[in-house]
Amino acid sequence: MEIAKGVYWVGVVDWGLRHFHGHELSTHRGSTYNAYLIIDEKIVLVDTVWNPFQDQLLRNISAVIDPSKIDLVVANHSESDHSGSLPAVMRRIPNATVVVSKRGEESVEGHYHQAWNFKSVKTGDRISIGENELVFIEAPMLHWPDSMFTYLAGRNILMPNDAFGQHYATSFRFNDQVHREELYEEAIKYYANILTPFSALVLKKIDEVLALGLPVDMIAPSHGVIWRRDPLQIVTKYREWASQVPEKSAVVAYDTMWEGTRRMAEAVGNGMAAEGIPCKIFHMAVSDRNDVITEIFKSRAVVIGSPTLNQGLLPTIAPILEDIRGLRFQNKIGAAFGTYGWSGESVKLIEEHLTRCKIPVVCPGVRAKWQPKPADLENCEKMGREIAAAVKST
Ligand code: FEO
């Protein structure tokens, strides 16, 4: 499909995808792997697709031009969803040049163990391909060390690979053709779950790219739709998300064995609602972890509840705590609660974890022995009100 004069989308829509990065990330709306073919004096392929779809990529290229005519393959990023079909492509064009960032040379070679004809580029390097020119911008840790943006001067198209992407399978290729709310739900989920820890770098990179003064008619990421109408809207959103200024809201994430900790969670939520602070309550044993992460990303307060089991937490709570650690959220406050029968370590363990994650614990944890008594639930409501006050005050 021609997206601009001489520029073709040759990617794949993966409607069936429900988990990504193995099973680490949920993708309720599927995804796309976007690859772009540029027809100029030189023929350029920017990125490939995940290898289960390599035949489809080659068919899509063949519908435009004989794949053996490709001169340059740009591998903006070596993760398998974009580089997975490189071996199949390179079997057709063994002498073609593979353009990578300096770190990309090592990681592409590390994935495929092939001595392809690599050309490594750095920020500001240009390759003339005829009427148009490729301009490269390194974007290390957005989100891998090798990540790179390619800008097609002449057509004013920025191809930033994962940045500005969404796991969103659609019938159409452009942002102005899809449901705006769905698009932004997927864009923020992508940011929250993948890019949050690199937010400071996102802000720096946005400033750096804008300072180049390159005209941008399209932002064509490697997942989801292409930003064609008002393309810089997603850059503005990324700036907002990267600054991590939360909404005045809260998330309560808990698990429960015999409903005691659930009742405490709801009492905490009631306390917050009484103070006018919206709170979303998630039972982690049956909730999608990545969706909960997105809600935590948006919220000021994160409150975790678990009964004590084997002197620790319910195992279903561990993954969300690990994400909270790894994603390095900024500007959060926290608290903990839970039931116990005898040893009762869970609340302390959660508080210690939040503190290690630099999330200040803003009120004393509430523990309830066996099933919570009315006084325990009152303490939970009080905790909810205190957290709400802390949310409102900042
Ligand atoms: Fe980092 Fe879409 O791969």
Side-chain angles (χ1 to χ4, degrees):
M1 177 197 170
E2 192 169 28
I3 62 166
K5 187 166 168 264
V7 183
Y8 296 81
W9 177 84
V10 288
V12 167
V13 180
D14 188 352
W15 286 97
L17 189 78
R18 289 296 175 268
H19 296 100
F20 191 76
H21 290 152
H23 284 255
E24 187 273 324
L25 181 68
S26 63
T27 50
H28 307 312
R29 292 190 173 105
S31 193
T32 75
Y33 317 106
N34 298 336
Y36 301 98
L37 183 68
I38 305 165
I39 307 295
D40 204 328
E41 285 170 27
K42 285 197 163 63
I43 311 299
V44 182
L45 178 65
V46 180
D47 292 320
T48 72
V49 302
W50 192 25
N51 69 326
F53 298 97
Q54 62 188 27
D55 292 344
Q56 195 175 334
L57 171 71
L58 287 165
R59 280 198 300 275
N60 293 349
I61 295 169
S62 299
V64 181
I65 198 164
D66 178 350
S68 68
K69 295 196 181 322
I70 293 171
D71 300 290
L72 296 169
V73 180
V74 178
N76 278 318
H77 173 38
S78 63
E79 195 163 8
S80 304
D81 49 328
H82 308 298
S83 70
S85 299
L86 263 178
V89 169
M90 294 307 290
R91 278 195 289 276
R92 301 287 192 98
I93 46 169
N95 298 317
T97 300
V98 181
V99 181
V100 287
S101 65
K102 195 141 196 59
R103 298 296 293 273
E105 183 165 351
E106 180 248 325
S107 56
V108 171
E109 200 281 330
H111 277 73
Y112 303 107
H113 318 134
Q114 298 289 320
W116 291 321
N117 179 24
F118 289 108
K119 176 180 174 58
S120 74
V121 289
K122 58 185 186 317
T123 296
D125 284 356
R126 293 169 174 258
I127 296 177
S128 173
I129 56 170
E131 190 187 339
N132 301 296
E133 197 174 31
L134 304 173
V135 183
F136 302 97
I137 302 159
E138 294 161 282
M141 297 319 295
L142 298 179
H143 67 126
W144 274 18
D146 66 341
S147 297
M148 178 170 83
F149 300 173
T150 298
Y151 175 76
L152 181 62
R155 296 285 174 265
N156 302 345
I157 301 174
L158 180 68
M159 290 171 276
N161 197 264
D162 280 329
F164 312 121
Q166 333 90 45
H167 288 305
Y168 186 27
T170 57
S171 302
F172 305 110
R173 300 279 57 81
F174 295 104
N175 66 319
D176 47 280
Q177 296 173 304
V178 302
H179 193 286
R180 184 182 159 82
E181 283 180 22
E182 285 184 1
L183 169 58
Y184 270 99
E185 277 176 17
E186 295 305 333
I188 194 171
K189 178 175 178 179
Y190 192 98
Y191 188 95
N193 281 274
I194 297 172
L195 289 164
T196 300
F198 313 116
S199 289
L201 294 171
V202 170
L203 289 171
K204 239 173 100 180
K205 186 56 58 180
I206 287 173
D207 288 343
E208 184 190 321
V209 172
L210 293 179
L212 294 174
L214 303 169
V216 176
D217 292 343
M218 278 185 208
I219 295 178
S222 56
H223 296 291
V225 295
I226 297 164
W227 302 90
R228 172 175 70 176
R229 180 179 293 167
D230 183 13
L232 293 178
Q233 63 178 284
I234 189 61
V235 179
T236 305
K237 269 289 167 201
Y238 262 46
R239 195 193 279 286
E240 181 187 317
W241 293 336
S243 59
Q244 294 200 59
V245 178
E247 298 170 0
K248 290 190 184 298
S249 63
V251 165
V252 175
Y254 75 98
D255 197 9
T256 192
M257 294 170 79
W258 296 106
E259 306 297 329
T261 304
R262 176 185 66 75
R263 291 164 62 214
M264 295 176 81
E266 291 173 1
V268 172
N270 290 342
M272 291 198 225
E275 293 297 324
I277 292 299
C279 170
K280 289 183 177 161
I281 302 175
F282 295 98
H283 180 187
M284 291 314 300
V286 292
S287 297
D288 182 282
R289 197 184 87 248
N290 304 110
D291 291 340
V292 176
I293 283 295
T294 308
E295 295 301 329
I296 292 173
F297 174 77
K298 295 182 209 167
S299 299
R300 172 78 167 127
V302 51
V303 188
I304 307 288
S306 173
T308 295
L309 175 72
N310 296 334
Q311 298 180 299
L313 308 175
L314 279 191
T316 39
I317 288 295
I320 194 82
L321 294 183
E322 177 57 14
D323 269 337
I324 289 170
R325 182 202 63 76
L327 292 170
R328 305 206 298 266
F329 291 116
Q330 306 290 311
N331 304 323
K332 305 289 178 213
I333 55 176
F337 63 91
T339 58
Y340 69 105
W342 49 104
S343 60
E345 292 90 343
S346 67
V347 168
K348 183 166 169 278
L349 288 170
I350 295 166
E351 289 176 341
E352 287 172 354
H353 185 87
L354 292 173
T355 303
R356 276 197 300 276
C357 298
K358 300 188 169 56
I359 297 176
V361 174
V362 292
C363 57
V366 179
R367 298 193 315 157
K369 188 158 188 183
W370 306 119
Q371 283 291 337
K373 300 179 184 68
D376 297 318
L377 296 176
E378 276 169 30
N379 280 337
C380 288
E381 281 206 34
K382 183 165 168 278
M383 170 193 260
R385 288 195 298 276
E386 285 175 19
I387 295 165
V391 168
K392 282 196 264 190
S393 72
T394 50

